[in-house]
Amino acid sequence: MTTSEWGEKSSADLMSRYVSKEMGYGVPKEGWRICLAHEFKEKRKPFQAKDVSLSNVLEHVGLGIRYLKWWYKKTQVEKKAPFIDMFRAQPLRQIYGAPLGGIGGGTITRGWRGEFCRWQLNPGMYHYETVTANQFTVCLRRGGQTVYQQVLSVERPPTLQGWNWGYCGEYAFYHALYPRAWTVYHLPGQNVTLTCRQISPVIPHDYQDSSLPVAVFVWDIENKNDYALDVSIMFTMVNGSGHKEDKSGGHWNEPFHLEKEGEAVSGVLLHHCLAVNPYTLCIAAREQPGREVSHQTAFSPKGTCSGLWSDLITDGRLDSPTGSSPPTPKGEKVAAALAVSCSVPAQGHNSLEFCLAWDMPNIMFGSRERKHTRRYTRYFGTQGDASPSLGHYALTHYRQWEKSIDEWQRPILQDSSLPSWYKSALFNELYFVVDGGTVWTELPEDADVSGGVRSEDGGLPAQPAIVKEFGRFAYLEGQEYRMYNTYDVHFYASFALIMLWPKLALSLQYDIAGSVVQQDPMERLHLMSGRYSPVKAKNVVPHDIGDPDDEPWQRVNAYLIHDTADWKDLNLKFVLQVYRDFHLTQDHQYLKDMWPVCQAVMESEMKFDLDGDGLIENSGYADQTYDGWTVTGPSAYCGGLWLASLCVMCKMAKLVENEEAYNRYRDILDRGSAAYDKLLWNGKYYNYDSSGRDLSNSVMSDQCAGHWFLKASGLGEGEYQAFPKEKIQTALKSVFDLNVMSFAGGQMGAVNGMRPEGVPDRSSVQSDEVWIGVVYGLAATMIHEGMQEEGMRTAEGCYRTVWERLGMAFQTPEAYCEKGIYRSLAYMRPLSVWAMQLALNTSQKDQTASAQTEATDGEQGQDLGETQS
């Protein structure tokens, strides 16, 4: 089977059970599409402690005992969730669709079958509950009589038996092109097709509307009958999120009507009254000519709930009582309903609009030490009364959002040279910017990002202008790996931010830089080594900025497996990102502020150059890319990052006109490059490390990461070249032949480690995994080097495995093995797919510039010929 045939079959399988010919209203061609009746055949299990091989258990028995003690104290004594839980990983639920909401205000995820099933309203803390009563229901009426009423859900739950469940999923499909999604329902026997379009305000280079905790649902109704129909859509919502707090008592609902600027919106507010992080949900609809909006303020979402069903079926509208509901007694839940009706002419079309908004303006993290204010409050206030205004704003502005989204996505979607799977991957993987436990807060007035270390002492301004104007941004390493802004992973994911929301990327960098120049001398046990050492050393990049169950920004390095002061790659990744970000933004103040911090972290790296050859060594410590994969001496990965960092330091020294620094870094770079080639190049690729042990010549898929960042930064050639071009291209060809094409038939991406004889390296827990985000970065490197076909083939394997075979849409994991298991669902690193787009953009610019040069040269030659004649 050819690559294209394999891909077409993989995509077609998702829609193979769809029996209708209806393709919906305005549904785009590109995106991820799946029939609601689809069942994924392959069921994978999460990696857990029991999956560690005996040899690795024996090698890390001390770590295992220390982790177990820590885990017991955390879960049983402190009653807290561990930042990584090796014993209670999330099971794979093959149900998720595009999340609702903008950036940093909390998220509610809908499944591709329409369920409301993943909640992150408390910052960074997830729970996975499907709330049965949260549904859309359709009612069709002809000549004053209801002829059809159906919950638009394929489920048949044991509760709410008075409702008509069990919609036939073979007549519906879901289509996602984030930040929008469409669900098309053909109503069997009714000659009516409904298309629900879901819109969230996630708009590149927009720092206002993109922060709003809202989503809009537009229902397009197509009536293929020869007679008119009255159509009602009812939206039901429980006051809460399926959490046990829903029954804590004191929650209440009230109807509202808001008219301003000539537009009226009405609906129901659901006040969720908690001691910590209270919030209000809002279901709203726009009042327009020819539309009737009605509501039910409160109903109990248990038992048969036949009263609400009968209310709608009687006349296609709800009773609309006035006044608020009483607070719920402890142990009881309350829900609300909103219905909108319109007439649809014979062979005609009409539409209805709903909005879901949530207002949790002030948040506290798990430690409850201080209050943080979400970004959107800058525009809608901090009083907790913004839900009606949020709903009104969303319903009157969503068309502008869609126009902006179309303008952004159209050039890529219309580029016929790009494959369809890539267009889906590029936009749909962006879900994590919003649904990565993301918080976007205002910088408190008393905050000092660098702890009092000012610029003249190698620090930063207390409140850098970027952070003050655009706020603070943080996202988790993964929904299961609960650490904010994990820096070695952000290195890959950062391409999405710097290309689409560059101010947030720079703000994050200021926070990291502020932490670099500070220290936390408090000693704690590190689980890998069993040694006590400081939480944070000075002039060292932190692993992360904290756990949302504690106090992020105040207490960094929630990760306590390793002592991150020993990590070689964090400092280097900071330096590389600083220049890449400057290259893409041309923000000279940013470069000026970061230069002394870069010098400080490079100085702290110098101690790892043990023999003075200009190349840092790992000296027996595990390489931070693959835990447990021991490295001795210089390695391809960290050594490559080091050389690339020296290269960008040379470039930055030129820009800040520091000739002395330039000469110093240039000397180290020249010596280091020679040592790197001598110690690691074997004629076909760079060896994993230079120890000479049995596995040191394993082929690492990510060996060219340093060169990748140079190319992404407009460097890597001439004066700013760290690696010979022919060696990089030879190494990439070896990786493609071995790690990609010799692994799983070339259909699952690149395995982290491969032996030169063509079998995966299984020497560590992670060496035989595929890391999706690393693969996207590898593909970008190939594209930069003119290997676009190989790059696309490499990345395609990951996309099709995750989205089409394993049912992991909108929860792309960190890793999977060839068979059986995966690790860490909903992970940050796959945002690196945007590095591929940067590589494509760069290649197109290079080709255009080259063509212009050739044309100019041709004209000059012609002029010269004419002159001579």
Side-chain angles (χ1 to χ4, degrees):
M1 188 181 294
T2 66
T3 306
S4 59
E5 288 171 338
W6 155 61
E8 287 168 13
K9 181 182 183 302
S10 180
S11 295
D13 282 349
L14 300 183
M15 285 292 286
S16 62
R17 296 188 63 183
Y18 186 61
V19 297
S20 172
K21 291 183 170 57
E22 296 296 327
M23 299 314 291
Y25 189 88
V27 182
K29 173 175 172 272
E30 309 291 1
W32 180 71
R33 184 173 295 190
I34 185 168
C35 175
L36 266 57
H38 184 77
E39 292 287 343
F40 288 97
K41 297 183 183 74
E42 189 167 347
K43 311 289 182 185
R44 290 214 167 189
K45 292 187 176 178
F47 176 87
Q48 299 195 75
K50 63 182 175 57
D51 295 305
V52 180
S53 68
L54 181 60
S55 61
N56 274 297
V57 167
L58 294 175
E59 190 175 343
H60 299 297
V61 66
L63 166 65
I65 292 168
R66 287 185 287 272
Y67 178 84
L68 187 58
K69 285 181 178 177
W70 173 83
W71 182 90
Y72 181 84
K73 181 185 176 189
K74 188 63 114 175
T75 59
Q76 305 305 310
V77 179
E78 298 176 15
K79 304 297 182 186
K80 291 262 193 176
F83 71 93
I84 296 177
D85 196 331
M86 287 295 293
F87 299 108
R88 296 186 297 206
Q90 279 296 317
L92 176 60
R93 299 177 178 92
Q94 297 165 316
I95 64 173
Y96 296 114
L100 306 171
I103 301 172
T107 46
I108 301 169
T109 296
R110 286 186 81 209
W112 48 269
R113 291 191 179 101
E115 61 271 68
F116 290 75
C117 52
R118 185 168 69 195
W119 305 78
Q120 188 257 145
L121 297 179
N122 278 326
M125 306 301 289
Y126 278 85
H127 73 276
Y128 304 86
E129 294 290 336
T130 296
V131 181
T132 306
N134 290 358
Q135 299 290 347
F136 286 101
T137 296
V138 61
C139 172
L140 304 183
R141 292 171 58 77
R142 182 187 179 194
Q145 298 292 317
T146 295
V147 295
Y148 180 88
Q149 187 161 299
Q150 173 73 52
V151 183
L152 294 169
S153 167
V154 299
E155 303 299 326
R156 297 180 183 273
T159 57
L160 307 176
Q161 292 288 300
W163 296 10
N164 183 24
W165 295 91
Y167 173 84
C168 182
E170 293 177 347
Y171 288 87
F173 69 87
Y174 177 84
H175 184 97
L177 187 66
Y178 190 76
R180 292 185 290 181
W182 294 255
T183 312
V184 176
Y185 303 90
H186 180 58
L187 304 184
Q190 305 304 315
N191 254 356
V192 171
T193 301
L194 309 175
T195 303
C196 176
R197 184 167 85 259
Q198 169 186 308
I199 307 138
S200 293
V202 181
I203 304 160
H205 307 286
D206 177 296
Y207 299 92
Q208 176 175 324
D209 290 7
S210 288
S211 72
L212 303 183
V214 298
V216 172
F217 303 96
V218 178
W219 288 84
D220 284 294
I221 307 153
E222 295 174 277
N223 177 13
K224 303 289 179 70
N225 292 293
D226 293 329
Y227 47 82
L229 287 169
D230 293 322
V231 180
S232 303
I233 302 283
M234 178 174 72
F235 185 14
T236 48
M237 196 80 186
V238 172
N239 185 329
S241 60
H243 196 272
K244 62 184 178 182
E245 291 171 337
D246 294 2
K247 293 184 176 182
S248 61
H251 311 311
W252 57 286
N253 301 344
E254 62 171 327
F256 80 93
H257 173 86
L258 177 61
E259 188 168 347
K260 61 180 180 181
E261 298 166 2
E263 296 278 2
V265 165
S266 58
V268 184
L269 305 177
L270 297 80
H271 300 291
H272 203 70
C273 304
L274 303 170
V276 178
N277 297 344
Y279 62 91
T280 298
L281 291 166
C282 166
I283 52 176
R286 197 171 176 181
E287 295 186 0
Q288 294 172 285
R291 314 284 195 287
E292 184 178 6
V293 181
S294 59
H295 70 268
Q296 183 53 262
T297 308
F299 70 91
S300 174
K302 68 177 186 180
T304 64
C305 205
S306 54
L308 181 72
W309 192 260
S310 300
D311 186 4
L312 183 67
I313 213 167
T314 302
D315 54 7
R317 61 184 306 281
L318 301 173
D319 282 350
S320 301
T322 57
S324 58
S325 69
T328 53
K330 196 165 186 179
E332 295 295 323
K333 296 181 182 181
V334 67
L338 184 69
V340 189
S341 313
C342 69
S343 180
V344 187
Q347 301 295 334
H349 161 268
N350 211 336
S351 63
L352 303 171
E353 303 166 345
F354 292 85
C355 174
L356 173 63
W358 51 98
D359 183 25
M360 184 192 283
N362 306 303
I363 53 173
M364 297 180 86
F365 292 106
S367 71
R368 303 185 182 182
E369 289 177 24
R370 63 184 301 160
K371 185 171 76 174
H372 301 263
T373 304
R374 295 205 199 254
R375 167 72 175 186
Y376 75 88
T377 61
R378 181 176 290 206
Y379 315 105
F380 286 88
T382 61
Q383 299 306 305
D385 58 359
S387 283
S389 296
L390 283 165
H392 187 284
Y393 187 87
L395 286 165
T396 53
H397 287 77
Y398 79 85
R399 286 190 177 89
Q400 290 170 233
W401 300 342
E402 289 199 279
K403 184 173 181 286
S404 298
I405 292 166
D406 279 332
E407 288 171 355
W408 158 47
Q409 294 184 337
R410 189 182 303 117
I412 293 168
L413 297 178
Q414 291 183 350
D415 186 342
S416 59
S417 72
L418 298 175
S420 291
W421 68 264
Y422 171 76
K423 297 168 185 176
S424 174
L426 189 69
F427 294 114
N428 285 325
E429 290 288 9
L430 272 179
Y431 84 94
F432 195 86
V433 171
V434 166
D435 207 12
T438 311
V439 287
W440 185 2
T441 63
E442 296 288 6
L443 183 66
E445 289 185 10
D446 62 347
D448 183 336
V449 300
S450 55
V453 185
R454 294 285 77 84
S455 303
E456 54 270 22
D457 300 314
L460 296 166
Q463 299 210 336
I466 285 269
V467 188
K468 197 166 184 179
E469 183 178 352
F470 294 99
R472 277 180 149 166
F473 174 87
Y475 59 162
L476 295 175
E477 178 176 336
Q479 291 179 11
E480 295 190 83
Y481 284 17
R482 212 182 55 240
M483 296 159 282
Y484 272 132
N485 294 351
T486 297
Y487 202 72
D488 62 313
V489 183
H490 171 70
F491 176 72
Y492 296 82
S494 61
F495 283 86
L497 278 187
I498 195 62
M499 292 172 71
L500 302 175
W501 294 276
K503 304 298 186 186
L504 296 184
L506 299 188
S507 172
L508 188 157
Q509 285 286 85
Y510 273 103
D511 266 330
I512 293 293
S515 177
V516 166
V517 300
Q518 299 180 64
Q519 58 189 334
D520 182 348
M522 185 182 78
E523 299 220 330
R524 69 173 179 189
L525 177 69
H526 288 96
L527 301 181
M528 178 65 82
S529 65
R531 296 193 306 264
Y532 282 85
S533 54
V535 170
K536 167 73 176 63
K538 190 172 183 180
N539 293 337
V540 173
V541 171
H543 173 273
D544 57 82
I545 59 145
D547 177 354
D549 207 21
D550 184 27
E551 192 61 39
W553 291 299
Q554 294 293 109
R555 283 186 290 281
V556 302
N557 279 342
Y559 184 81
L560 45 72
I561 307 293
H562 296 289
D563 180 356
T564 53
D566 288 335
W567 283 33
K568 319 298 182 296
D569 61 337
L570 291 172
N571 285 354
L572 306 177
K573 288 173 175 176
F574 175 78
V575 171
L576 289 169
Q577 284 186 75
V578 165
Y579 182 73
R580 191 256 344 246
D581 295 350
F582 168 75
H583 170 68
L584 294 176
T585 64
Q586 294 297 302
D587 187 323
H588 288 267
Q589 184 61 49
Y590 169 74
L591 182 67
K592 180 182 176 184
D593 289 342
M594 294 295 160
W595 170 246
V597 184
C598 288
Q599 285 187 295
V601 299
M602 287 297 283
E603 207 57 44
S604 72
E605 290 288 296
M606 296 292 183
K607 66 178 181 284
F608 297 117
D609 181 6
L610 301 180
D611 54 13
D613 64 355
L615 195 59
I616 61 171
E617 299 187 24
N618 291 70
S619 53
Y621 194 77
D623 188 296
Q624 264 52 68
T625 310
Y626 306 132
D627 284 346
W629 208 0
T630 306
V631 181
T632 305
S635 71
Y637 185 71
C638 281
L641 294 176
W642 167 248
L643 295 180
S645 297
L646 289 167
C647 206
V648 303
M649 289 300 286
C650 289
K651 178 67 175 177
M652 288 192 284
K654 283 280 191 185
L655 289 166
V656 299
E657 299 179 339
N658 187 328
E659 196 65 26
E660 183 183 348
Y662 173 84
N663 290 332
R664 181 170 184 239
Y665 293 123
R666 182 81 248 175
D667 172 61
I668 301 169
L669 174 59
D670 291 343
R671 289 186 290 114
S673 293
Y676 187 79
D677 265 12
K678 179 182 175 184
L679 292 168
L680 294 164
W681 181 251
N682 66 19
K684 293 184 177 178
Y685 57 89
Y686 293 101
N687 284 337
Y688 178 68
D689 69 18
S690 57
S691 66
R693 64 196 175 92
D694 288 347
L695 298 172
S696 68
N697 65 339
S698 283
V699 189
M700 183 182 183
S701 64
D702 207 13
Q703 60 185 271
C704 299
H707 179 74
W708 164 40
F709 251 72
L710 290 179
K711 295 297 284 186
S713 305
L715 304 176
E717 295 178 3
E719 184 182 359
Y720 301 106
Q721 179 177 331
F723 313 92
K725 185 178 181 69
E726 66 277 6
K727 289 182 179 176
I728 289 291
Q729 291 183 340
T730 301
L732 289 173
K733 185 176 186 309
S734 296
V735 169
F736 182 72
D737 290 344
L738 287 165
N739 301 58
V740 180
M741 298 309 294
S742 299
F743 175 73
Q747 296 185 0
M748 291 184 74
V751 68
N752 280 340
M754 181 65 91
R755 300 294 300 136
E757 60 270 23
V759 295
D761 182 328
R762 304 190 193 279
S763 62
S764 83
V765 170
Q766 298 174 356
S767 56
D768 67 340
E769 291 181 330
V770 175
W771 289 8
I772 296 93
V774 164
V775 173
Y776 288 151
L778 168 62
T781 315
M782 291 175 172
I783 294 167
H784 278 299
E785 287 303 321
M787 300 168 63
Q788 183 166 330
E789 186 178 336
E790 292 91 338
M792 285 293 178
R793 174 69 191 257
T794 298
E796 181 179 4
C798 281
Y799 172 81
R800 295 206 186 277
T801 299
V802 169
W803 289 77
E804 296 178 352
R805 195 177 118 203
L806 301 185
M808 295 176 175
F810 298 100
Q811 53 179 332
T812 304
E814 157 72 321
Y816 54 74
C817 290
E818 185 174 0
K819 293 175 183 171
I821 59 175
Y822 63 87
R823 186 166 57 79
S824 187
L825 289 170
Y827 199 75
M828 177 201 288
R829 202 186 315 254
L831 284 170
S832 61
V833 68
W834 277 86
M836 294 178 65
Q837 189 58 34
L838 179 64
L840 290 165
N841 293 348
T842 304
S843 298
Q844 287 169 353
K845 284 179 186 172
D846 290 347
Q847 288 168 7
T848 302
S850 176
Q852 289 172 343
T853 302
E854 287 176 12
T856 304
D857 290 347
E859 288 169 8
Q860 289 173 343
Q862 186 178 7
D863 291 344
L864 182 61
E866 288 171 356
T867 304
Q868 289 174 332
S869 63

